[in-house]
Amino acid sequence: MAESPSLQMTEIEQQVIRLVADTQKIDLAEIRPESTFEELKIDSLDGLNLLFAVEGEFDIQVPDDEAKNLRSVQDIINGVNKLLAAKQGAKEG
């Protein structure tokens, strides 16, 4: 029995999805973590604007080589989680 994805969403997932909705003018209900940029009609320029919004929202820097590999909302969520974990580790070290 699968639970509703919205019940399991983390705060970061919710923030990323909200950012995608806000920057791309897409209805929040249409965006899921597994949504691809192609499905959401996000082109490379839109993707760049979204990347800047994500970097500003989470106070992170996404390396160019990683930015090129972003193809879905889940890719952004994974990247944000990874970069925030690295940032937190640097603070603790």
Side-chain angles (χ1 to χ4, degrees):
M1 182 162 141
E3 290 183 35
S4 169
S6 60
L7 295 177
Q8 299 175 328
M9 267 196 215
T10 67
E11 190 175 328
I12 289 174
E13 287 174 318
Q14 291 171 358
Q15 282 181 275
V16 168
I17 288 172
R18 184 180 44 75
L19 272 175
V20 172
D22 290 350
T23 61
Q24 304 308 308
K25 310 291 188 260
I26 301 171
D27 185 349
L28 206 55
E30 294 180 29
I31 305 167
R32 301 174 322 281
E34 59 273 12
S35 298
T36 65
F37 292 171
E38 187 177 343
E39 289 170 344
L40 298 173
K41 300 187 178 21
I42 296 174
D43 64 22
S44 56
L45 184 58
D46 290 335
L48 200 56
N49 290 332
L50 177 57
L51 191 62
F52 290 142
V54 167
E55 288 180 332
E57 177 78 15
F58 294 99
D59 190 27
I60 56 175
Q61 290 292 318
V62 179
D64 289 343
D65 58 326
E66 289 190 27
K68 292 175 191 168
N69 296 322
L70 300 176
R71 302 274 182 269
S72 70
V73 175
Q74 188 64 55
D75 288 346
I76 296 174
I77 293 166
N78 293 345
V80 167
N81 280 322
K82 179 178 159 189
L83 290 168
L84 288 177
K87 186 176 172 181
Q88 187 62 34
K91 278 185 184 175
E92 292 172 2

